Amino acid sequence: MLPGTVIELPVLPERISVKQSADTSEKTVLGIGAVNLLDGAKLRQISFGSFFPAQKIPSVKLPRTQLREPMYYVRKLRECMESKEPLRFILLGADLDINIRMSVEGIDYSENYGEVGSIEYSLTLKEWKDYSPRRVTIKENTASAGETERSGTPEGAPKDKAVSYTVKAGDCLWSICKASYGDGSLYDKLYRANKTVIDRQNGGTGNPKYTIYVGEMLTLPPKGEL
């Protein structure tokens, strides 16, 4: 699937299951017996099911102009699985507050009698963590007085004055807020602080309003000014 492609589910699932377990191993220690070694948590797994409607119905959350034919969504999810690249799964406005990179572990889909054209599906996603080598580039500061130029992953919240940040691949407003302010839930406030820039880029694309693009320059105000 092409980078920057956004898949917005037309019908929200009734139930989302999140599974996570501890990574433990049992060893025998002389004089003590069996002990349980705690090695942290395993990767999260998310599963849910819903359907891709063939036509606009009351439960569809997308405008008619943005609703795609059912197999479009199936093909895009299959592309994610076959491309060997993770996707970013975002669930906003819920207690789960999910915003992580995940791989498509499996998708099952079918067309049922009586609902010709609509596709029922079940989807399984698994948390993905970047394990590639990291390279750090230090750039000469060419920003104007009173403003600090920053690119790459933010490191800590700006303290006294706003700083500039250049969006890189894999960024979203939630991840930038998490890295800069330690709180991903501030994404809506960061959006409002950059509304003019973000809306100009998104104009006419049909993408969700929080979508940002590689190379886009955002302003990170101090946390207290958000």
Side-chain angles (χ1 to χ4, degrees):
M1 190 171 69
L2 293 174
T5 300
V6 176
I7 304 175
E8 189 169 1
L9 299 179
V11 179
L12 296 179
E14 293 184 359
R15 180 174 180 270
I16 294 180
S17 174
V18 181
K19 180 181 179 181
Q20 187 171 26
S21 58
D23 188 6
T24 65
S25 58
E26 185 174 303
K27 302 292 183 182
T28 300
V29 177
L30 185 64
I32 298 178
V35 296
N36 189 19
L37 302 181
L38 306 180
D39 296 322
K42 293 184 178 180
L43 299 174
R44 281 176 286 181
Q45 184 169 293
I46 296 175
S47 58
F48 58 88
S50 186
F51 69 99
F52 301 125
Q55 57 186 349
K56 178 73 175 178
I57 57 177
S59 58
V60 173
K61 302 303 181 183
L62 298 178
R64 183 185 297 272
T65 55
Q66 294 183 20
L67 182 64
R68 307 293 191 109
E69 54 94 13
M71 284 305 297
Y72 165 84
Y73 300 99
V74 174
R75 286 194 297 269
K76 289 300 181 184
L77 290 170
R78 285 172 54 187
E79 286 177 18
C80 287
M81 185 164 51
E82 295 167 1
S83 68
K84 301 180 182 179
E85 292 291 335
L87 56 79
R88 181 172 291 278
F89 180 71
I90 302 175
L91 178 65
L92 302 177
D95 291 339
L96 295 178
D97 192 23
I98 301 172
N99 189 323
I100 56 176
R101 300 179 77 180
M102 311 196 79
S103 63
V104 178
E105 293 293 293
I107 177 172
D108 299 322
Y109 54 95
S110 62
E111 183 180 50
N112 294 335
Y113 177 76
E115 298 180 5
V116 179
S118 295
I119 300 293
E120 292 189 1
Y121 71 93
S122 60
L123 185 65
T124 301
L125 306 174
K126 189 172 185 178
E127 185 176 3
W128 182 90
K129 293 182 179 180
D130 188 2
Y131 52 88
S132 60
R134 303 297 178 90
R135 183 176 66 180
V136 177
T137 301
I138 301 177
K139 291 186 176 181
E140 182 180 355
N141 185 3
T142 57
S144 57
E147 185 178 271
T148 303
E149 182 77 19
R150 303 180 69 183
S151 62
T153 303
E155 297 179 358
K159 301 297 183 182
D160 303 319
K161 54 190 176 183
V163 298
S164 296
Y165 175 69
T166 303
V167 177
K168 62 179 180 61
D171 276 346
C172 68
L173 292 178
W174 190 96
S175 65
I176 294 173
C177 286
K178 182 67 175 178
S180 295
Y181 305 109
D183 184 357
S185 67
L186 295 173
Y187 67 90
D188 184 62
K189 293 183 178 181
L190 183 60
Y191 161 74
R192 281 182 276 168
N194 293 272
K195 187 176 187 302
T196 300
V197 173
I198 295 174
D199 287 355
R200 183 171 62 246
Q201 287 282 79
N202 275 329
T205 64
N207 291 334
K209 69 177 183 179
Y210 298 117
T211 304
I212 55 178
Y213 304 90
V214 174
E216 191 172 2
M217 183 73 74
L218 302 180
T219 298
L220 307 184
K223 186 174 183 180
E225 296 181 10
L226 281 176

